[in-house]
């Protein structure tokens, strides 16, 4: 029993890069779990995916000027994500196009433009680094950035939690009582971009939204209260990171896809046996009749 437990933690005890990757997964789980739940409640799941790719042109411009510099990629990605979110919101507000369709259009443009910009100067290896990330190469500086974003996101969410949840579930009531729904929506979009930029450092643009939305969707099958969904999503995201890193180490798999596929495994399992709304939960229950 002890040897089996040691086998689970041995890679993290023996190698510093595995410990840093695990701590990065913990920080990403704390920050991205609640954000994913709120995106799910606001029916903006695909908007999160679109915004994860919206950071790519900015990261590509940062790459053109500073290479694979942490701050160049981060600041460029954050600026691009905010710009796309703002422009998509303006288009949705002043035209007949809905917000999700507007984000979809800008997402496709951003993805193509980002790949083009990276390809102009970088190699295929640089492109793979930006698209899929390298969580096993997270250094102390990147770890500090990810942890800082997770801490800031948690503090801001705690401060605006009640009006933000109300704006998700009943925006009409919030407007009726004079709540500033648009302000909370804007702050929330900034938090989404921040957490996607943090995830981008570890998992790349194509995988960043996976650790945000899959655990949130998993949590929806196990609990119905918002706070417990946020907690369940964070725990699921961390477990996905832990198991994914172990699978990556034991079988030589790419770490980012292993983590996201582990989260997908939890999601599929929850679809089948979750407590609320799963396939098993919807099966007709047998009734006991007494003769």
């Amino acid at each position: 029993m002890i040897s089996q437990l040691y086998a689970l933690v041995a890679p993290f005890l023996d190698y510093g890069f595995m410990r840093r990757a695990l701590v990065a997964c913990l920080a990403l789980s704390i920050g991205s779990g609640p954000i994913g739940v709120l995106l799910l409640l606001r029916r903006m799941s695909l908007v999160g995916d679109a915004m994860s790719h919206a950071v790519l042109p900015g990261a590509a411009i940062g790459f053109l000027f500073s290479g694979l510099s942490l701050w160049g990629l981060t600041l460029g990605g954050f600026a691009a994500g905010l710009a796309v979110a703002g422009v998509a919101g303006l288009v949705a507000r002043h035209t007949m196009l809905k917000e999700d369709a507007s984000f979809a259009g800008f997402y496709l443009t951003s993805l193509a433009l980002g790949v083009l910009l990276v390809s102009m100067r970088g190699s295929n290896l640089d492109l793979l680094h930006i698209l899929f990330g390298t969580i096993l190469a997270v250094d102390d500086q990147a770890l500090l950035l990810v942890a800082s974003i997770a801490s800031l996101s948690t503090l801001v969410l705690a401060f605006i939690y009640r009006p933000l949840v109300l704006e998700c579930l009943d925006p009409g009531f919030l407007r009726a009582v004079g709540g500033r729904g648009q302000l909370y929506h804007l702050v929330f979009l900034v938090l989404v971009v921040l957490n996607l930029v943090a995830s981008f450092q570890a998992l790349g643009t194509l995988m960043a939204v996976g650790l945000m939305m899959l655990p949130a969707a998993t949590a929806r099958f196990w609990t119905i209260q918002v706070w417990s969904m946020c907690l369940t999503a964070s725990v699921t995201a961390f477990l996905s990171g832990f198991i994914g890193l172990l699978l990556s180490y034991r079988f030589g798999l790419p770490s980012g896809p292993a983590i996201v596929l582990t989260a997908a495994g939890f999601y599929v399992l929850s679809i089948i046996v979750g407590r609320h709304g799963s396939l098993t939960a919807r099966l007709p229950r047998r009734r006991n009749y007494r003769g």
Side-chain angles (χ1 to χ4, degrees):
M1 181 66 178
I2 296 178
S3 61
Q4 292 174 343
L5 291 175
Y6 179 77
L8 289 177
V9 299
F12 306 103
L13 296 176
D14 296 338
Y15 301 104
F17 68 91
M18 290 292 289
R19 288 195 295 273
R20 285 191 292 271
L22 185 62
V23 174
C25 287
L26 176 61
L28 292 175
S29 303
I30 293 172
S32 297
I35 294 292
V37 169
L38 292 170
L39 280 171
L40 192 69
L41 292 177
R42 298 165 72 94
R43 297 174 182 171
M44 294 174 63
S45 302
L46 294 179
V47 171
D49 182 52
M51 291 181 66
S52 72
H53 301 303
V55 306
L56 184 55
I61 293 174
F63 172 78
L64 291 179
F65 284 98
S66 60
L68 293 175
S69 164
L70 172 68
W71 292 107
L73 296 176
T74 299
L75 293 176
F78 181 66
L82 285 183
V84 169
V87 173
L90 287 175
V91 170
R93 185 175 301 177
H94 296 291
T95 68
M96 62 177 293
L97 205 61
K98 292 186 177 180
E99 190 174 35
D100 58 344
S102 179
F103 270 108
F106 284 105
Y107 139 66
L108 295 171
T109 305
S110 300
L111 181 61
L113 179 60
V115 171
L116 178 64
L117 290 174
V118 175
S119 301
M120 288 172 57
R121 174 178 168 181
S123 63
N124 289 335
L125 186 61
D126 295 324
L127 183 60
L128 288 175
H129 172 84
I130 292 176
L131 290 179
F132 296 101
T134 51
I135 193 169
L136 295 180
V138 170
D139 57 15
D140 292 338
Q141 188 179 23
L143 192 58
L144 180 61
L145 174 67
V146 173
S148 299
I149 290 176
S151 301
L152 176 63
S153 178
T154 302
L155 289 174
V156 174
L157 278 181
F159 185 71
I160 64 171
Y161 176 77
R162 294 186 66 180
L164 187 59
V165 171
L166 185 59
E167 203 261 336
C168 289
L169 302 178
D170 196 350
F173 176 77
L174 186 63
R175 286 194 299 269
V177 297
R180 294 173 291 180
Q182 290 296 328
L183 175 62
Y184 296 124
H185 182 71
L186 177 61
V187 173
F188 177 68
L189 287 180
V190 172
L191 291 180
V192 172
V193 175
L194 269 176
N195 280 274
L196 287 173
V197 168
S199 300
F200 155 75
Q201 296 296 337
L203 299 173
T205 58
L206 294 183
M207 296 287 173
V209 75
L211 206 59
M212 181 179 288
M213 296 312 307
L214 284 171
T218 298
R220 187 65 182 87
F221 287 103
W222 295 101
T223 182
I224 57 176
Q225 294 180 313
V226 178
W227 70 267
S228 56
M229 272 194 281
C230 293
L231 179 61
T232 303
S234 293
V235 171
T236 304
F238 177 67
L239 287 177
S240 300
F242 177 76
I243 296 172
L245 287 173
L246 277 180
L247 293 175
S248 172
Y249 176 80
R250 297 295 181 189
F251 300 103
L253 303 174
S255 52
I259 291 171
V260 175
L261 285 175
T262 302
F266 281 121
Y267 173 58
V268 173
L269 181 65
S270 301
I271 291 175
I272 299 172
V273 299
R275 292 178 58 191
H276 302 285
S278 67
L279 297 176
T280 303
R282 289 179 176 272
L283 289 176
R285 299 181 182 273
R286 292 185 178 181
R287 296 181 179 179
N288 295 323
Y289 294 96
R290 295 182 178 179

